[in-house]
């Protein structure tokens, strides 16, 4: 389950309307669920189902629910040649401020095992930092999860750090 959208109190109506929220969930889903593949620079690696309740008289969205399924989880740990991991990793690494990079111990994409296997760090015509700053962060604010950004940075950093772990086979007597 990804998100619920509902119209609500007058206080809630002062923010983005439900249609804006539904539209702005796409940049978030694309960041977390799309990746560069050999054939497509922005390939969707997930399926989604969105249920909307529409006012038949006004044609406006009253509420909605978005569910995520079939996420290609194996992509996190390994990508094919000339492919990339999910866009969110590159967007955060390129778009984070120097203060955020320091606070969350973020390094360059080429330093993470989960990202460097395919040796593909950029996509022609795609500026990950700019997309993060101008599209993805704006989408987070519109759908109401801007306050959770520190947790997002921690999660992205934590996932990437898991790939840095080295395991040794230790024989016991």
């Amino acid at each position: 389950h990804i998100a619920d959208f509902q119209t609500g109190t007058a206080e809630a109506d002062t923010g983005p309307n439900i249609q804006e929220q539904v539209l702005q969930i796409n940049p978030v889903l694309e960041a977390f669920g799309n990746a560069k593949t050999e054939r497509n620079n922005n390939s969707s690696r997930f399926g989604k189902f969105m249920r909307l309740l529409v006012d038949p008289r006004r044609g406006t969205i009253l509420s909605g629910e978005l569910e995520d399924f079939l996420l290609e989880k194996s992509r996190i740990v390994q990508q094919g040649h000339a492919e990339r991991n999910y866009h969110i990793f590159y967007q955060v690494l390129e778009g984070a401020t120097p203060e955020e990079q320091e606070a969350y111990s973020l390094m360059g994409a080429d330093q993470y095992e989960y990202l460097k296997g395919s040796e593909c760090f950029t996509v022609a015509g795609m500026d990950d930092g700019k997309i993060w700053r101008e599209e993805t962060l704006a989408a987070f604010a519109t759908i109401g999860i801007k306050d959770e950004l520190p947790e997002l940075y921690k999660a992205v950093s934590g996932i990437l750090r898991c790939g840095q772990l080295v395991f040794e086979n230790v024989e016991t007597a």
Side-chain angles (χ1 to χ4, degrees):
H1 182 76
I2 297 283
D4 283 318
F5 306 100
Q6 296 181 350
T7 58
T9 65
E11 183 180 333
D13 292 338
T14 62
N17 70 35
I18 192 89
Q19 285 89 320
E20 289 175 46
Q21 291 179 345
V22 169
L23 290 172
Q24 285 301 304
I25 195 71
N26 269 343
V28 173
L29 292 176
E30 285 190 6
F32 282 96
N34 286 18
K36 179 191 179 303
T37 63
E38 270 191 87
R39 295 184 179 171
N40 185 338
N41 287 345
N42 195 31
S43 180
S44 177
R45 312 312 302 159
F46 69 100
K48 69 179 176 183
F49 173 76
M50 185 179 292
R51 181 175 301 135
L52 301 174
L53 177 60
V54 178
D55 181 335
R57 291 178 300 229
R58 292 190 275 164
T60 58
I61 299 171
L62 298 174
S63 67
E65 179 180 87
L66 179 66
E67 293 184 18
D68 176 42
F69 57 97
L70 300 176
L71 182 65
E72 183 187 15
K73 295 176 185 100
S74 62
R75 177 165 294 278
I76 292 173
V77 297
Q78 184 176 7
Q79 306 83 47
H81 176 72
E83 295 190 350
R84 289 198 331 169
N85 210 317
Y86 292 107
H87 295 323
I88 190 69
F89 296 115
Y90 307 94
Q91 288 181 12
V92 167
L93 295 175
E94 291 296 317
T97 65
E99 295 80 18
E100 291 164 337
Q101 291 172 352
E102 183 177 335
Y104 303 106
S105 302
L106 299 174
M107 305 181 292
D110 61 341
Q111 296 179 33
Y112 289 103
E113 293 298 320
Y114 282 172
L115 305 180
K116 68 182 184 180
S118 70
E119 299 180 355
C120 182
F121 304 107
T122 60
V123 176
M126 186 181 291
D127 182 336
D128 292 306
K130 183 177 180 182
I131 292 169
W132 174 252
R133 290 184 301 274
E134 296 179 7
E135 297 176 25
T136 310
L137 285 177
F140 281 131
T142 301
I143 63 174
I145 57 173
K146 189 174 181 179
D147 293 340
E148 288 81 6
L149 284 177
E151 283 74 25
L152 177 111
Y153 281 110
K154 289 176 190 174
V156 167
S157 178
I159 291 166
L160 292 173
R161 287 175 167 274
C162 283
Q164 304 302 88
L165 296 174
V166 177
F167 296 91
E168 294 181 15
N169 188 9
V170 178
E171 292 186 30
T172 59

